[in-house]
Amino acid sequence: MQWNERLNKVRLLLQLLASLAISTTFIASAFAVDENNSEIDFFADVAVDSEAEKNNESNHLTGYLQQQLGYSPKDHKYFAFSRKETGISQARTTLTLKYQNTFADGIEYELSGNSYYDTYYHSEGRDNFSNSEYSVMADDVELRNAYINLETYDGLWLKLGKQIVAWGESEYVQIIDMVNPRDLKEFGIVDLEDSRIPVWASRLSYVGKQWGSDLVLVHKFEPNKTAGDFSDFDQYITLRNFAAIDRDYKTDVDFTNPDIFFRLFLQKGHSDISFVYAKSHQTSPEFDIKSVEPFALATLYQEIETFGVAANYVYGFWLLKTEISNKTGMRFAQKVPTDEFNVYRSYHQMMLGFEFSGINDVQIASEYIINHIGGDDDILAQENNNDLFSNRINFQFLNQTLNVELLLAHWVQGHSDSVRLTANYDISDALKVSIGYIDFIAKSETDTLYYFQNSDRIFASLRYAF
């Protein structure tokens, strides 16, 4: 091993040790006890002016500082990945800030953003990664929410700016929850609902006692964020051997030609039902041939039309839920390209699920998702059916300060599984520590997760909120 590589590893080790020392200091402070063996309030010496607090209750600056560490316990068998050996695979520091203010009755705005810096990528050096992986994974500064929200009439709201719009019932896949693209750089580690990326949009909403509606116009298209080329969670790793992929995308979405989403929802007693229509661009790409020599693929983000329904019903300790959609205008690659590399097909999705909370401090949630491409004629490069089953079990301990969760996902036709176990402990109101492990299981080269079976990761984080 060359001396510069050793020096980089020493620097990384020192950074990890520093993180551990900071963690230990925080933990010791949070658990400090006085001479009478009673707990000391971590913020006991902070004087609070109640009048000032009252005057500033509509004006908030909050955020958090987080240190994440990742360790990959397996060598990669598939040569295309940039990481070859067992070892540290993440050492990311993240700072998030959020400013909220209400400056008049019924008018509020929010401005938030975050930045991160991954010491692992910087210490290993740019030459050890593709340009895409380094630029996507090493560091970033991004604007998150930036909107103004005002009540124009009783129950009628107008929200303008960069925002998140959350619809639907599924926790594991996007069916009618399509307004926001997702950050998929770390597949399976981050929950789907936590991965939404805000978009520039106008939203007109009416919320009544028993019904309401949403009209959302998205003025700037954003695709899903995917992991960098050749990284551990590169979704297109199997294409890298024989094709270059052009990540550039072009759509005609702008202020005068927005993507359109509409929802009508009804609420009565123990049930809710939503009807959705959308004319929008899909946020995950399809591919088309850009050039033959050299062979290169271009990403396509098709304009599609969606009709969908989502509903839930509460019965005692049970929450029963479903979600259905029909999407037209999508393109899928053929096994043997003829005049066209892709063919147009309809795409049908359905989710049936439940949540059960009848056991103290335990919640169980399951979903079965059917994904079906129309036209069962066996000419596509992928199977027409791709069903998925997910099961989540959540435990609360120590007066709900310790949360342990087990998430299992099974790809039925893809003969693959992922298992994720996480534990989160609230040391104090401001300090939270997490640790987890995700395992990808597959046997055959045709299995969905086969090439990711050695992308397993042990991950931990320490977050300080302020």
Side-chain angles (χ1 to χ4, degrees):
M1 183 180 294
Q2 298 179 354
W3 282 107
N4 60 340
E5 294 179 351
R6 292 182 179 179
L7 182 59
N8 285 334
K9 291 184 180 297
V10 170
R11 289 173 179 170
L12 178 58
L13 178 60
L14 291 175
Q15 195 269 344
L16 296 178
L17 291 175
S19 300
L20 180 61
I22 294 171
S23 305
T24 304
T25 302
F26 276 132
I27 293 171
S29 300
F31 281 109
V33 294
D34 62 12
E35 293 179 355
N36 296 321
N37 205 34
S38 60
E39 293 186 358
I40 296 177
D41 186 350
F42 194 67
F43 297 101
D45 295 329
V46 179
V48 177
D49 187 332
S50 59
E51 186 65 29
E53 185 180 41
K54 181 178 179 180
N55 293 335
N56 292 299
E57 60 185 3
S58 63
N59 193 344
H60 302 281
L61 177 62
T62 59
Y64 65 83
L65 180 65
Q66 177 172 272
Q67 179 66 53
Q68 296 170 277
L69 302 175
Y71 181 84
S72 298
K74 296 180 181 178
D75 295 343
H76 263 304
K77 294 180 181 179
Y78 188 51
F79 71 94
F81 289 103
S82 60
R83 180 186 64 81
K84 307 299 183 185
E85 300 176 349
T86 297
I88 299 295
S89 51
Q90 184 184 69
R92 179 180 295 177
T93 303
T94 303
L95 174 64
T96 295
L97 295 174
K98 179 168 68 174
Y99 177 74
Q100 295 173 297
N101 192 14
T102 302
F103 55 87
D105 290 339
I107 302 177
E108 61 183 19
Y109 67 86
E110 179 179 317
L111 185 66
S112 64
N114 62 33
S115 64
Y116 66 81
Y117 181 93
D118 199 314
T119 305
Y120 164 71
Y121 280 94
H122 285 274
S123 64
E124 290 291 317
R126 194 183 190 98
D127 294 341
N128 292 309
F129 307 100
S130 68
N131 289 335
S132 168
E133 181 176 2
Y134 192 87
S135 62
V136 169
M137 312 295 283
D139 50 60
D140 195 15
V141 178
E142 62 178 347
L143 177 68
R144 294 287 294 175
N145 290 322
Y147 63 79
I148 183 169
N149 192 22
L150 59 149
E151 188 173 16
T152 58
Y153 190 70
D154 187 22
L156 189 65
W157 290 83
L158 179 63
K159 192 173 184 179
L160 304 172
K162 200 171 188 184
Q163 57 188 283
I164 288 175
V165 180
W167 293 348
E169 299 291 337
S170 177
E171 295 182 352
Y172 207 82
V173 296
Q174 288 178 273
I175 299 179
I176 65 169
D177 187 10
M178 303 182 302
V179 178
N180 297 97
R182 297 305 204 270
D183 187 338
L184 305 177
K185 296 195 299 291
E186 295 177 324
F187 170 70
I189 295 179
V190 179
D191 285 335
L192 190 71
E193 63 181 17
D194 296 328
S195 66
R196 292 186 182 94
I197 300 172
V199 291
W200 291 102
S202 304
R203 179 181 184 181
L204 182 64
S205 303
Y206 172 74
V207 181
K209 291 183 178 180
Q210 294 187 336
W211 72 281
S213 63
D214 280 312
L215 174 63
V216 180
L217 306 178
V218 174
H219 305 295
K220 183 180 180 182
F221 173 76
E222 295 284 350
N224 292 336
K225 287 186 178 180
T226 55
D229 301 354
F230 308 104
S231 65
D232 273 11
F233 301 105
D234 180 3
Q235 296 182 26
Y236 313 115
I237 192 69
T238 56
L239 300 177
R240 305 298 179 192
N241 284 340
F242 60 88
I245 298 177
D246 184 356
R247 283 176 170 260
D248 291 339
Y249 62 89
K250 293 181 180 179
T251 67
D252 57 357
V253 177
D254 57 26
F255 188 81
T256 60
N257 185 40
D259 278 348
I260 302 170
F261 303 85
F262 177 76
R263 179 180 68 142
L264 174 67
F265 58 92
L266 308 174
Q267 307 172 75
K268 187 174 181 180
H270 301 286
S271 62
D272 299 306
I273 185 168
S274 298
F275 302 92
V276 168
Y277 169 79
K279 189 173 183 181
S280 62
H281 291 74
Q282 60 187 102
T283 55
S284 57
E286 301 297 338
F287 296 102
D288 204 352
I289 296 176
K290 180 181 180 181
S291 64
V292 177
E293 291 184 2
F295 188 61
L297 297 174
T299 52
L300 299 174
Y301 295 91
Q302 287 294 121
E303 185 177 58
I304 62 174
E305 195 170 30
T306 302
F307 292 90
V309 178
N312 65 60
Y313 178 74
V314 177
Y315 181 75
F317 296 112
W318 295 86
L319 171 66
L320 308 178
K321 57 185 182 179
T322 187
E323 198 169 341
I324 304 169
S325 75
N326 178 61
K327 301 176 182 179
T328 56
M330 294 181 65
R331 295 173 60 172
F332 298 92
Q334 300 184 75
K335 284 182 181 177
V336 181
T338 53
D339 295 336
E340 295 290 337
F341 183 71
N342 298 289
V343 292
Y344 285 94
R345 291 292 173 85
S346 59
Y347 190 57
H348 317 287
Q349 292 180 284
M350 182 173 70
M351 181 276 294
L352 295 172
F354 71 85
E355 296 179 15
F356 177 70
S357 55
I359 305 173
N360 286 340
D361 298 324
V362 178
Q363 185 180 57
I364 301 171
S366 293
E367 295 182 7
Y368 190 87
I369 300 103
I370 297 172
N371 300 300
H372 175 71
I373 303 171
D376 296 315
D377 47 19
D378 197 34
I379 69 169
L380 300 180
Q382 64 189 89
E383 293 190 33
N384 289 79
N385 297 302
N386 183 23
D387 297 352
L388 175 68
F389 173 73
S390 70
N391 191 36
R392 182 190 301 265
I393 307 174
N394 188 285
F395 303 89
Q396 300 279 354
F397 302 101
L398 303 177
N399 293 324
Q400 299 186 339
T401 59
L402 174 62
N403 178 288
V404 178
E405 184 173 88
L406 177 65
L407 176 63
L408 303 99
H410 173 66
W411 284 258
V412 179
Q413 287 79 16
H415 307 290
S416 300
D417 300 273
S418 72
V419 181
R420 189 190 73 189
L421 180 65
T422 56
N424 303 298
Y425 181 61
D426 295 328
I427 298 174
S428 68
D429 290 340
L431 197 62
K432 178 179 180 179
V433 63
S434 303
I435 189 168
Y437 175 70
I438 188 166
D439 186 18
F440 301 102
I441 304 168
K443 295 181 180 179
S444 170
E445 289 189 21
T446 59
D447 293 350
T448 300
L449 299 180
Y450 177 77
Y451 292 97
F452 298 100
Q453 60 180 313
N454 284 23
S455 294
D456 303 347
R457 180 173 289 184
I458 301 169
F459 51 92
S461 69
L462 179 70
R463 175 182 292 195
Y464 176 72
F466 51 88

PDB file of all heavy atoms in Angstrom, residues 169-181:
ATOM      1  N   GLU A 169     -51.145   6.216   0.623  1.00  0.00           N
ATOM      2  CA  GLU A 169     -51.159   5.384   1.821  1.00  0.00           C
ATOM      3  C   GLU A 169     -49.930   4.493   1.969  1.00  0.00           C
ATOM      4  O   GLU A 169     -49.579   4.083   3.063  1.00  0.00           O
ATOM      5  CB  GLU A 169     -52.411   4.490   1.820  1.00  0.00           C
ATOM      6  CG  GLU A 169     -53.734   5.242   1.818  1.00  0.00           C
ATOM      7  CD  GLU A 169     -53.997   5.962   3.120  1.00  0.00           C
ATOM      8  OE1 GLU A 169     -53.423   5.547   4.153  1.00  0.00           O
ATOM      9  OE2 GLU A 169     -54.769   6.937   3.126  1.00  0.00           O
ATOM     10  N   SER A 170     -49.268   4.166   0.871  1.00  0.00           N
ATOM     11  CA  SER A 170     -48.160   3.218   0.933  1.00  0.00           C
ATOM     12  C   SER A 170     -46.927   3.829   1.584  1.00  0.00           C
ATOM     13  O   SER A 170     -46.580   4.988   1.326  1.00  0.00           O
ATOM     14  CB  SER A 170     -47.791   2.724  -0.473  1.00  0.00           C
ATOM     15  OG  SER A 170     -46.676   1.867  -0.422  1.00  0.00           O
ATOM     16  N   GLU A 171     -46.267   3.054   2.432  1.00  0.00           N
ATOM     17  CA  GLU A 171     -45.019   3.478   3.072  1.00  0.00           C
ATOM     18  C   GLU A 171     -43.789   3.030   2.289  1.00  0.00           C
ATOM     19  O   GLU A 171     -42.683   3.454   2.592  1.00  0.00           O
ATOM     20  CB  GLU A 171     -44.930   2.904   4.484  1.00  0.00           C
ATOM     21  CG  GLU A 171     -45.980   3.420   5.453  1.00  0.00           C
ATOM     22  CD  GLU A 171     -45.794   2.853   6.841  1.00  0.00           C
ATOM     23  OE1 GLU A 171     -44.949   1.955   7.006  1.00  0.00           O
ATOM     24  OE2 GLU A 171     -46.480   3.310   7.761  1.00  0.00           O
ATOM     25  N   TYR A 172     -43.989   2.161   1.291  1.00  0.00           N
ATOM     26  CA  TYR A 172     -42.815   1.530   0.683  1.00  0.00           C
ATOM     27  C   TYR A 172     -42.637   1.853  -0.801  1.00  0.00           C
ATOM     28  O   TYR A 172     -41.519   1.810  -1.303  1.00  0.00           O
ATOM     29  CB  TYR A 172     -42.877   0.014   0.872  1.00  0.00           C
ATOM     30  CG  TYR A 172     -41.511  -0.625   0.876  1.00  0.00           C
ATOM     31  CD1 TYR A 172     -40.731  -0.634   2.030  1.00  0.00           C
ATOM     32  CD2 TYR A 172     -40.978  -1.192  -0.275  1.00  0.00           C
ATOM     33  CE1 TYR A 172     -39.472  -1.193   2.037  1.00  0.00           C
ATOM     34  CE2 TYR A 172     -39.718  -1.762  -0.275  1.00  0.00           C
ATOM     35  CZ  TYR A 172     -38.968  -1.756   0.877  1.00  0.00           C
ATOM     36  OH  TYR A 172     -37.714  -2.306   0.872  1.00  0.00           O
ATOM     37  N   VAL A 173     -43.711   2.154  -1.525  1.00  0.00           N
ATOM     38  CA  VAL A 173     -43.581   2.470  -2.951  1.00  0.00           C
ATOM     39  C   VAL A 173     -44.410   3.709  -3.280  1.00  0.00           C
ATOM     40  O   VAL A 173     -45.337   4.067  -2.560  1.00  0.00           O
ATOM     41  CB  VAL A 173     -44.048   1.298  -3.853  1.00  0.00           C
ATOM     42  CG1 VAL A 173     -43.171   0.081  -3.651  1.00  0.00           C
ATOM     43  CG2 VAL A 173     -45.510   0.964  -3.593  1.00  0.00           C
ATOM     44  N   GLN A 174     -44.060   4.355  -4.391  1.00  0.00           N
ATOM     45  CA  GLN A 174     -44.820   5.488  -4.888  1.00  0.00           C
ATOM     46  C   GLN A 174     -45.913   4.976  -5.825  1.00  0.00           C
ATOM     47  O   GLN A 174     -45.624   4.333  -6.834  1.00  0.00           O
ATOM     48  CB  GLN A 174     -43.913   6.457  -5.645  1.00  0.00           C
ATOM     49  CG  GLN A 174     -42.975   7.258  -4.762  1.00  0.00           C
ATOM     50  CD  GLN A 174     -42.071   8.146  -5.585  1.00  0.00           C
ATOM     51  OE1 GLN A 174     -41.014   7.722  -6.013  1.00  0.00           O
ATOM     52  NE2 GLN A 174     -42.494   9.376  -5.822  1.00  0.00           N
ATOM     53  N   ILE A 175     -47.165   5.258  -5.490  1.00  0.00           N
ATOM     54  CA  ILE A 175     -48.277   4.872  -6.347  1.00  0.00           C
ATOM     55  C   ILE A 175     -48.995   6.136  -6.808  1.00  0.00           C
ATOM     56  O   ILE A 175     -48.907   6.515  -7.968  1.00  0.00           O
ATOM     57  CB  ILE A 175     -49.214   3.886  -5.628  1.00  0.00           C
ATOM     58  CG1 ILE A 175     -48.433   2.598  -5.268  1.00  0.00           C
ATOM     59  CG2 ILE A 175     -50.413   3.545  -6.515  1.00  0.00           C
ATOM     60  CD1 ILE A 175     -49.252   1.558  -4.536  1.00  0.00           C
ATOM     61  N   ILE A 176     -49.711   6.822  -5.893  1.00  0.00           N
ATOM     62  CA  ILE A 176     -50.265   8.132  -6.248  1.00  0.00           C
ATOM     63  C   ILE A 176     -49.484   9.266  -5.591  1.00  0.00           C
ATOM     64  O   ILE A 176     -49.753  10.436  -5.861  1.00  0.00           O
ATOM     65  CB  ILE A 176     -51.766   8.234  -5.883  1.00  0.00           C
ATOM     66  CG1 ILE A 176     -51.959   8.165  -4.365  1.00  0.00           C
ATOM     67  CG2 ILE A 176     -52.570   7.168  -6.605  1.00  0.00           C
ATOM     68  CD1 ILE A 176     -53.367   8.517  -3.930  1.00  0.00           C
ATOM     69  N   ASP A 177     -48.530   8.942  -4.748  1.00  0.00           N
ATOM     70  CA  ASP A 177     -47.695   9.958  -4.098  1.00  0.00           C
ATOM     71  C   ASP A 177     -46.557  10.332  -5.054  1.00  0.00           C
ATOM     72  O   ASP A 177     -45.403   9.953  -4.859  1.00  0.00           O
ATOM     73  CB  ASP A 177     -47.147   9.405  -2.778  1.00  0.00           C
ATOM     74  CG  ASP A 177     -46.416  10.466  -1.971  1.00  0.00           C
ATOM     75  OD1 ASP A 177     -46.503  11.647  -2.331  1.00  0.00           O
ATOM     76  OD2 ASP A 177     -45.762  10.099  -0.985  1.00  0.00           O
ATOM     77  N   MET A 178     -46.896  11.112  -6.104  1.00  0.00           N
ATOM     78  CA  MET A 178     -45.972  11.313  -7.221  1.00  0.00           C
ATOM     79  C   MET A 178     -45.474  12.742  -7.367  1.00  0.00           C
ATOM     80  O   MET A 178     -44.648  13.005  -8.233  1.00  0.00           O
ATOM     81  CB  MET A 178     -46.667  10.920  -8.534  1.00  0.00           C
ATOM     82  CG  MET A 178     -47.202   9.514  -8.583  1.00  0.00           C
ATOM     83  SD  MET A 178     -47.927   9.173 -10.202  1.00  0.00           S
ATOM     84  CE  MET A 178     -49.165  10.477 -10.291  1.00  0.00           C
ATOM     85  N   VAL A 179     -45.965  13.666  -6.566  1.00  0.00           N
ATOM     86  CA  VAL A 179     -45.604  15.068  -6.776  1.00  0.00           C
ATOM     87  C   VAL A 179     -44.114  15.289  -6.572  1.00  0.00           C
ATOM     88  O   VAL A 179     -43.459  15.977  -7.366  1.00  0.00           O
ATOM     89  CB  VAL A 179     -46.422  15.980  -5.835  1.00  0.00           C
ATOM     90  CG1 VAL A 179     -45.998  17.435  -6.018  1.00  0.00           C
ATOM     91  CG2 VAL A 179     -47.914  15.820  -6.093  1.00  0.00           C
ATOM     92  N   ASN A 180     -43.569  14.695  -5.516  1.00  0.00           N
ATOM     93  CA  ASN A 180     -42.155  14.908  -5.188  1.00  0.00           C
ATOM     94  C   ASN A 180     -41.294  13.736  -5.639  1.00  0.00           C
ATOM     95  O   ASN A 180     -41.632  12.579  -5.374  1.00  0.00           O
ATOM     96  CB  ASN A 180     -41.985  15.094  -3.681  1.00  0.00           C
ATOM     97  CG  ASN A 180     -42.706  16.312  -3.167  1.00  0.00           C
ATOM     98  OD1 ASN A 180     -43.818  16.217  -2.675  1.00  0.00           O
ATOM     99  ND2 ASN A 180     -42.078  17.475  -3.299  1.00  0.00           N
ATOM    100  N   PRO A 181     -40.177  14.017  -6.293  1.00  0.00           N
ATOM    101  CA  PRO A 181     -39.206  12.945  -6.553  1.00  0.00           C
ATOM    102  C   PRO A 181     -38.579  12.491  -5.248  1.00  0.00           C
ATOM    103  O   PRO A 181     -38.790  13.089  -4.191  1.00  0.00           O
ATOM    104  CB  PRO A 181     -38.189  13.621  -7.476  1.00  0.00           C
ATOM    105  CG  PRO A 181     -38.273  15.070  -7.121  1.00  0.00           C
ATOM    106  CD  PRO A 181     -39.708  15.323  -6.754  1.00  0.00           C
TER     107      PRO A 181
END
